[in-house]
Amino acid sequence: MTAADDLIVLRPEGLYCPPGRFYIDPWRPVERAVITHAHADHARRGHGAYLATAISAGVLRARLGAITLQGLEYGEAVWLDGVRISLHPAGHVLGSAQVRVEHGGQVWVASGDYFTSGQVEDVNSTCAPFEPVRCHCFITESTFGMPIYRWRPQAEVMAQVNAWWQANADAGRASLLLGYSFGKAQRLLAGVDAAIGPIFTHGAVEPLNQAYRAAGVALPATTQLDDRCDRTLLPRALVIAPPAVLGSAWAQKLGDFSDAFASGWMQLRGARRRRGVDRGFVLSDHADWPGLQRAIAATGASRVIVTHGYEAVMVRWLQQQGLQAGSLQTAFGKDDDEVAAQPAELSVPAPAGLAAPG
Ligand SMILES: [Zn+2]
Ligand SMILES: [Zn+2]
């Protein structure tokens, strides 16, 4: 799969660009790191210098502390040892980027995590929408790279969320909506109908809301839920919190409540049962199967390298399309929506010609 002049190769530290002597989202400490986005498995501590979008600087510093960071606008170029680098919107979370690398007439794009879906008009309104970038070789994630993953229109999903919240409010019980703190929580907030009732957030979510607002993203008013809050408001309230609060004392203090989990994994019946929540809403910040296909086609790449997710399924499908395809084993996929499904939940028969992932 690798050739001597590949622009991006796998090293023990991470994805490496030999002529530019930098890494992309490295998982071990390195001198020069280009960071696609601030989720913990892509943005780690301990690198000498960081290059990322300027708009992600606030969240990166909040998570990583005082780092040496150069911020770029989308589309702005810098050169490292003669390699041209630019960052392009990935539509995944605030500041998320695809990394375009150009050298010696070759263009490679490492996409990090990205959102685009088979619902062509759907974009993630809380960040710059995914933009396909033409390239010779495209490095793609495959978190939901199985034909069973097809997102419904997000307006339809948010209508389900609002109907659930309204019904709970009418019955006088709180609505505890679980989603990852960085990205999913804000996407939910941007889509809910704030006229239904007050919105409270967990302490892990509220600082990120503030980072989004500081970046100019419109979100409804939220209040961090703590002991000073007026808890008589809870029976009409929506409470947004990370999944880790499930079964916690923090959640018990909400009194009577219904809980729901928003994630791409909710497409699998077993996933909701295993979480033990009342409702599951299928909403992801990652591309679904048609979205992955569309994104890859739009790059015009003749070669595709698949990372974290269902690599085997994706590689097989790409090869059937006549593309040169292979996979690389990265350390990504331990954060946000990427926590893998249980094997039992994947007993859905794969369509003809597609092997189940190993
Ligand atoms: Zn991510
Ligand atoms: Zn990822």
Side-chain angles (χ1 to χ4, degrees), residues 313-324:
V313 179
M314 287 277 296
V315 167
R316 176 102 184 253
W317 182 83
L318 290 163
Q319 289 172 343
Q320 286 171 347
Q321 310 310 305
L323 297 173
Q324 188 187 351

Side-chain angles (χ1 to χ4, degrees), residues 36-42 92-93 96 112-114 141 182 285-286 308 335-338:
T36 62
H37 66 291
H39 275 141
D41 54 329
H42 291 262
H92 174 61
V93 292
S96 64
D113 294 339
Y114 62 94
E141 61 140 319
F182 175 35
D285 296 334
H286 293 267
H308 61 313
D335 195 34
D336 71 77
D337 260 359
E338 299 170 352

Side-chain angles (χ1 to χ4, degrees), residues 63-121:
R63 302 201 136 190
L64 303 177
I67 54 173
T68 304
L69 172 66
Q70 180 182 0
L72 290 185
E73 300 303 317
Y74 286 120
E76 182 185 356
V78 290
W79 279 261
L80 285 179
D81 291 340
V83 175
R84 185 186 191 276
I85 301 169
S86 55
L87 304 174
H88 304 268
H92 174 61
V93 292
L94 184 69
S96 64
Q98 309 172 73
V99 182
R100 182 187 185 276
V101 175
E102 181 176 354
H103 179 74
Q106 284 290 307
V107 176
W108 286 44
V109 171
S111 62
D113 294 339
Y114 62 94
F115 170 79
T116 181
S117 94
Q119 310 290 337
V120 291
E121 67 288 351

Side-chain angles (χ1 to χ4, degrees), residues 5 18 32 36-37 75 118 135 141 147 178 212-213 231 235 292 342:
D5 57 352
R32 298 204 285 202
T36 62
H37 66 291
C135 56
E141 61 140 319
L178 305 167
Y212 272 70
R213 291 186 185 108
R231 287 186 176 255
L292 289 165
Q342 298 296 302

Side-chain angles (χ1 to χ4, degrees), residues 121-137:
E121 67 288 351
D122 271 2
V123 295
N124 182 348
S125 64
T126 61
C127 61
F130 175 84
E131 279 178 18
V133 180
R134 304 285 295 181
C135 56
H136 299 100
C137 181

